[in-house]
Amino acid sequence: MPEGPELHLASLFVNRMCEGVVFTGSVKKSQVSKRPDVPFTSEAYRITAQSRGKEVRLTLTPIKSDDVKQSVKAGHSDQPMDIIFHFGMSGFFRFTTEDELPKHAHLQFYSNEKPCRVLSFVDARRFGGWQPNGTWQPDRGPCIMFEYETFRENVLTHLSDRAFDRPICETLLNQKYFNGIGNYLRAEILFRLNIQPFVKARTVLEGLLCKDKKAEETTKTEISDQAVKNAAVEPLDLLSLCHTVPLEVVKQGGKGYDPEKADYSAFEAWLQCYCVDGMKSIRDHNSRTIWFKGDPGPMAPKNSKSPKAKKRVKKEDNHDYATQKKVGEGVTKARTVKQETLTEKVKKEKVPEKQTGSKRQRIQNGKEMSMPQQNKRSSARRKSSSTEMVLQKSGHVTRQSSK
């Protein structure tokens, strides 16, 4: 799942590919997408991108004509528009020719070129989405990478919040305080500090509050050169690793998580804990898998087991997750009806075969054969039993029959 570093890499990709490119026309949405339309049309506009935690903002800016007297055409946009994207499980951007447009390109921006090129938002699972005329979500905290000081302050000043009553591995996924941290990042951060994943978050972070207060007092007084050196080599803490570990992924650039090239070798080599052989894994209270080493901690779910590795099965590229629950129920019913229909069909096919077989036994050279030997025996038994009944009623019973 794309996390903070991947969304920042996506924004860098858009800025690199769209630099100097002029786009035109309206923004097109795929027919299967349930996301909102983007009411933006312009004869000429540019696209820039910026990331913040787990969101990316595209800004569409119309290019004003040199002729001041020339008025904007009816229905065309004369003001910039911001579109906020979240990537869900599988979202990313592609920049291709119109002929090479990906199958799951759900939002498309066309360039003013021949041949035309297209910037598209691709999302096979459709868990991602966009909001036209949007702003950064207010319930998300400061970005862990590019708003570090604000991020740190936001966490340490809200330690009384109930979110910090939970295990630290679950609190790290709370985007209100850790905007950009996801499943693989939390595992890597906790592993490097040798922190048990199921320890109360407040217990882990309270010590940092005292540390920051001391650092604040130190900056107000004169400090020696030796104190500066000691501060420089001071070990990293949990919040600082929430800042530096994602930046390590960003530094890998295209060699790391790159959906376009699908080469994860460098990224997998960088991982120290997440999905690494020899590490343990269990599901947390939200059914998210956490990877760790050693003891999980006192708040670990009871009777929690490591999830079984699932075999990857190649599926057809016909994904429709927009109404997953309803579609799933419909598919189940359809399969049941289909199975019943097939069962009835098989039964009907089997009946003629039996009739045909018995007919073959009874017909030979165009003439109907006599009844099978088994039928003769059964009729003989019925005949003898009826005879005995008549004899008993009339009182003519022999000694042999009475024995």
Side-chain angles (χ1 to χ4, degrees):
M1 177 179 179
E3 302 181 18
E6 289 73 57
L7 271 77
H8 181 63
L9 289 171
S11 68
L12 296 179
F13 170 80
V14 171
N15 289 334
R16 184 173 69 252
M17 302 306 294
C18 297
E19 185 178 3
V21 178
V22 177
F23 293 84
T24 188
S26 58
V27 181
K28 295 184 180 180
K29 187 186 74 169
S30 66
Q31 294 180 352
V32 295
S33 176
K34 307 297 181 183
R35 300 298 176 179
D37 294 324
V38 178
F40 183 90
T41 304
S42 177
E43 285 210 352
Y45 67 95
R46 299 190 186 278
I47 297 178
T48 56
Q50 182 183 356
S51 71
R52 182 178 184 266
K54 285 193 176 185
E55 295 179 293
V56 171
R57 180 178 66 195
L58 289 193
T59 302
L60 316 183
T61 307
I63 301 174
K64 295 182 179 179
S65 173
D66 295 336
D67 189 359
V68 181
K69 296 180 180 180
Q70 185 178 359
S71 60
V72 179
K73 291 185 178 181
H76 284 223
S77 306
D78 60 345
Q79 296 297 323
M81 175 185 283
D82 290 335
I83 309 173
I84 304 296
F85 288 83
H86 61 93
F87 283 18
M89 292 289 292
S90 58
F92 62 94
F93 288 108
R94 289 290 302 271
F95 193 59
T96 62
T97 62
E98 190 173 9
D99 295 335
E100 297 174 339
L101 193 66
K103 182 177 180 180
H104 300 287
H106 296 304
L107 201 65
Q108 304 148 24
F109 308 84
Y110 289 80
S111 71
N112 187 14
E113 300 172 307
K114 292 184 180 179
C116 177
R117 291 187 293 174
V118 186
L119 174 70
S120 58
F121 177 68
V122 185
D123 186 11
R125 297 189 176 187
R126 300 187 207 170
F127 291 153
W130 57 84
Q131 184 61 50
N133 292 313
T135 57
W136 302 124
Q137 292 183 14
D139 57 343
R140 288 182 177 271
C143 179
I144 52 171
M145 293 183 290
F146 305 109
E147 298 171 315
Y148 172 63
E149 295 298 332
T150 313
F151 150 71
R152 188 180 184 95
E153 182 182 359
N154 184 50
V155 172
L156 295 179
T157 55
H158 290 88
L159 288 181
S160 59
D161 191 87
R162 288 186 301 174
F164 298 95
D165 291 335
R166 301 181 68 85
I168 185 61
C169 67
E170 296 175 12
T171 304
L172 283 173
L173 296 184
N174 189 331
Q175 299 302 295
K176 182 179 179 180
Y177 298 107
F178 297 89
N179 185 13
I181 297 294
N183 210 21
Y184 82 81
L185 283 176
R186 68 169 177 172
E188 295 299 314
I189 292 166
L190 294 175
F191 172 77
R192 295 188 186 196
L193 293 174
N194 196 26
I195 296 176
Q196 294 175 333
F198 292 96
V199 174
K200 184 181 287 190
R202 189 178 294 106
T203 303
V204 176
L205 296 168
E206 277 177 338
L208 304 185
L209 184 60
C210 299
K211 173 185 170 183
D212 279 16
K213 285 182 179 179
K214 287 181 180 179
E216 232 177 89
E217 292 172 359
T218 305
T219 54
K220 293 178 182 179
T221 59
E222 292 184 3
I223 54 176
S224 63
D225 294 339
Q226 185 62 37
V228 174
K229 290 179 182 178
N230 292 338
V233 296
E234 191 174 355
L236 296 172
D237 57 49
L238 179 68
L239 296 181
S240 60
L241 280 186
C242 287
H243 169 65
T244 58
V245 172
L247 290 177
E248 291 180 17
V249 181
V250 172
K251 288 179 181 178
Q252 294 183 46
K255 295 179 181 180
Y257 184 95
D258 190 352
E260 187 176 12
K261 297 180 181 179
D263 180 13
Y264 306 103
S265 56
F267 177 72
E268 290 174 352
W270 172 83
L271 293 170
Q272 299 180 28
C273 179
Y274 182 76
C275 290
V276 173
D277 291 339
M279 297 296 164
K280 299 177 182 178
S281 66
I282 59 174
R283 294 191 186 278
D284 62 19
H285 295 91
N286 299 317
S287 296
R288 298 289 302 275
T289 303
I290 174 68
W291 293 79
F292 61 96
K293 183 180 181 181
D295 185 20
M299 299 181 72
K302 295 181 180 179
N303 302 322
S304 182
K305 297 180 180 180
S306 177
K308 295 181 180 179
K310 297 180 180 180
K311 293 182 179 180
R312 293 185 178 180
V313 181
K314 189 176 181 181
K315 298 180 180 179
E316 295 180 2
D317 295 333
N318 187 21
H319 305 296
D320 190 357
Y321 298 92
T323 54
Q324 187 178 16
K325 186 175 181 181
K326 293 182 180 179
V327 172
E329 291 174 356
V331 170
T332 305
K333 291 179 180 178
R335 286 176 179 171
T336 306
V337 173
K338 188 176 179 181
Q339 186 66 29
E340 291 175 355
T341 306
L342 288 172
T343 306
E344 291 176 3
K345 188 176 179 182
V346 170
K347 288 180 179 179
K348 288 179 181 179
E349 289 178 352
K350 287 182 178 180
V351 171
E353 290 178 1
K354 291 181 179 180
Q355 291 176 351
T356 307
S358 61
K359 193 173 181 180
R360 286 176 183 172
Q361 292 176 2
R362 285 181 279 138
I363 298 175
Q364 186 178 14
N365 298 328
K367 296 180 181 180
E368 189 167 343
M369 295 176 64
S370 59
M371 295 294 291
Q373 192 68 21
Q374 186 177 357
N375 293 342
K376 286 182 179 180
R377 291 176 182 174
S378 60
S379 60
R381 289 195 195 99
R382 288 196 296 270
K383 189 174 181 180
S384 60
S385 61
S386 60
T387 305
E388 288 178 4
M389 290 291 292
V390 172
L391 290 172
Q392 286 177 3
K393 288 180 180 180
S394 58
H396 301 287
V397 182
T398 61
R399 292 180 181 176
Q400 187 175 359
S401 61
S402 61
K403 290 179 182 178

